[in-house]
Amino acid sequence: MNAAAANIGVVGLAVMGSNLARNLASREGNTVAVYNRSRTKTDELVQAHPEAGFVPAFSYEEFAASLSKPRTAIIMVKAGGPTDAVIDELVKVFEPGDIIVDGGNAYFPDTIRREKAVRDTGINFVGAGISGGEEGALLGPSIMPGGSDESWTTLGPILKSIAAVAEGEPCVTHIGHNGAGHFVKMVHNGIEYADMQLIAEAYDLIRRGTGKTPAEIADIFAEWNKGELESYLIEITAEVLRQIDAETGKPLVDVILDQAGAKGTGAWTVQTALSLGVPVSGIAEATFARSLSSHPEQRAVASILPGPGTDFAVDDADAFIEDVRQALFASKIIAYSQGFDEIRAGAAEYDWTIDLGAVSKIWRGGCIIRAQFLNRIADAYAEQPELPVLATSPYFADALTRGQAAWRRVVIAATQAGIPSPAFSSSLAYYDGIRADRLPAALVQGQRDFFGAHTYKRIDKEGTFHTLWSGDRTEIEAEDTH
Ligand code: 6PG
């Protein structure tokens, strides 16, 4: 064992951990200590990559001794219990001032709890969201670290050395204290769900409306990828649609079971938004669409329910495809707008200072939702850091103004044809809701006051009021009960 030879360590050497370790080792100035619970994985990694110059450790004591101070270790193990178990071990062998980084997809309240517990020992705890999958971990992910300013001093240069680079800037920034990084990563994943569902709805509508084959639709997505929709998810959609199943000769998309899985980050985004009172309806519908797809027993029973009974064939395929493209872009703007709204609300609730423009910049490269239009989001926040609704910034408002007629036509066509498009239609409903002069929420307030004396405010004077519904129906001033 080389004493204190490494400036950074990685614990957990499954694919993400070993790729991140290799990425770290490939950058100038880094020497990487590696540790895994089962020795075999460590041996295999070290043997397979002699060029990396890894410093292997076979106990936590050895691992700690191989790190220079302040010791810095990134944990890449399964979120939940396994992460807690590793933290407990590292705390025993680390010293005040050292840094423990959790690079998994942790639930942010766990990160807040862990940071607080670890801080009591004088050790820094950093919850870092890392996006980009296996390839990103190896070649350059987008990294969302949350933790103390002190830890960022040591960690910042190391993370900058391995992050993706977008337009000359590393895709990493100090998001905020304790759980801020994992919160932002959670919302990233929520947006990822919405983006994927919107793309899937676009594909479905085009296929069913025009009869085009998956390969032909792949060409459409490849074309879209040259314009304002340019993004990693559009790019890989074309790849997936073009793939032919070797066994049957059919398009792969036609032999994949239509039941979408989920590991939970989308659900967390929605649960958190519900608690914060932030309408992330596009993300919610995308999450629910996966749930709906994954109940074969219900779908089998419900297949007896009638549809509209008409064939869906559009007259002008090219015009319809262009409408779908515009509907996709408009709905995507709404999904991002809702996601950024959730980050703002989370920052207010948990007392984080989060620079929304900086978040959009570090999502331009490395991560799953990387897209050209994140530059436009960065511009919007640069012009107006306190922008209350991202969709109202000049660039996006203009895009929505241009796209809304097409968006409405697509939602109408889908509804009339009986094709589910929950993310398209809920995004449009949000758009119409947020821009409405007046909402039927006034009636809801009246109903609440009727059955529960929940009170209401008036548009024409200050105060809180209640109507004596079961009495003479006069209005009285009342205590505000919300
Ligand atoms: C990323 C991805 C990554 C993972 C998701 C997938 O940013 O690299 O989001 O974290 O692919 O967890 O989530 P589901 O399995 O829930 O689709």
Side-chain angles (χ1 to χ4, degrees), residues 16 105 130-134 144 185 188-189 192-193 196 261-266 290 366-369:
M16 285 295 286
N105 259 340
I130 301 182
S131 177
E134 295 170 14
M144 294 147 254
K185 174 59 167 63
H188 164 283
N189 280 29
E192 172 185 306
Y193 276 47
M196 292 167 75
K263 289 196 205 75
T265 48
R290 291 194 190 187
C367 66
I368 304 296
I369 64 169

Side-chain angles (χ1 to χ4, degrees), residues 197-252:
Q197 174 67 19
L198 289 166
I199 291 171
E201 289 178 16
Y203 147 77
D204 197 30
L205 283 163
I206 293 175
R207 187 159 184 193
R208 290 164 74 171
T210 69
K212 287 192 185 295
T213 64
E216 288 168 332
I217 303 173
D219 291 342
I220 294 169
F221 278 101
E223 196 53 40
W224 287 358
N225 201 37
K226 295 178 189 156
E228 60 195 358
L229 278 169
E230 192 258 296
S231 62
Y232 172 71
L233 285 170
I234 294 278
E235 181 192 324
I236 65 162
T237 299
E239 301 276 334
V240 174
L241 290 175
R242 213 168 268 137
Q243 184 72 13
I244 298 296
D245 173 46
E247 214 172 302
T248 59
K250 291 182 184 168
L252 179 67

Side-chain angles (χ1 to χ4, degrees), residues 96-142:
D98 290 348
I99 305 164
I100 299 174
V101 184
D102 172 16
N105 259 340
Y107 186 34
F108 77 93
D110 288 340
T111 305
I112 294 176
R113 166 180 61 78
R114 288 171 181 147
E115 198 275 338
K116 197 163 176 293
V118 173
R119 193 180 345 121
D120 288 344
T121 68
I123 297 169
N124 292 291
F125 184 78
V126 173
I130 301 182
S131 177
E134 295 170 14
E135 196 183 282
L138 182 62
L139 302 175
S142 172

Side-chain angles (χ1 to χ4, degrees), residues 242-432:
R242 213 168 268 137
Q243 184 72 13
I244 298 296
D245 173 46
E247 214 172 302
T248 59
K250 291 182 184 168
L252 179 67
V253 72
D254 287 346
V255 297
I256 296 178
L257 194 66
D258 60 343
Q259 295 171 23
K263 289 196 205 75
T265 48
W268 293 342
T269 311
V270 179
Q271 284 163 349
T272 305
L274 286 169
S275 317
L276 292 169
V278 180
V280 294
S281 45
I283 298 171
E285 286 297 350
T287 309
F288 287 136
R290 291 194 190 187
S291 314
L292 185 150
S293 78
S294 301
H295 285 286
E297 69 303 339
Q298 292 184 341
R299 290 173 62 189
V301 177
S303 65
I304 57 146
L305 299 173
T310 48
D311 285 342
F312 181 40
V314 297
D315 297 333
D316 183 340
D318 288 344
F320 181 68
I321 291 164
E322 174 54 17
D323 276 0
V324 172
R325 188 191 68 78
Q326 293 195 31
L328 177 55
F329 191 53
S331 304
K332 184 175 159 122
I333 292 170
I334 297 302
Y336 280 70
S337 191
Q338 293 178 341
F340 276 90
D341 197 12
E342 180 165 352
I343 296 176
R344 178 201 309 287
E349 174 73 18
Y350 295 100
D351 209 11
W352 298 318
T353 306
I354 300 183
D355 178 342
L356 299 179
V359 169
S360 63
K361 282 190 168 178
I362 64 162
W363 286 350
R364 289 177 306 175
C367 66
I368 304 296
I369 64 169
R370 60 186 182 261
Q372 187 214 57
F373 102 142
L374 283 152
N375 270 317
R376 304 285 81 77
I377 298 181
D379 294 345
Y381 284 117
E383 277 162 33
Q384 225 183 315
E386 297 306 320
L387 186 65
V389 182
L390 176 63
T392 62
S393 75
Y395 176 84
F396 294 118
D398 180 56
L400 291 167
T401 308
R402 277 186 286 113
Q404 69 149 325
W407 196 8
R408 292 183 195 285
R409 282 194 294 273
V410 169
V411 171
I412 290 167
T415 308
Q416 281 180 334
I419 298 174
S421 56
F424 273 174
S425 44
S426 70
S427 306
L428 182 55
Y430 172 89
Y431 172 81
D432 283 329

Side-chain angles (χ1 to χ4, degrees), residues 438-448:
R438 208 161 149 72
L439 289 167
L443 177 57
V444 172
Q445 284 296 79
Q447 293 164 330
R448 293 178 69 237

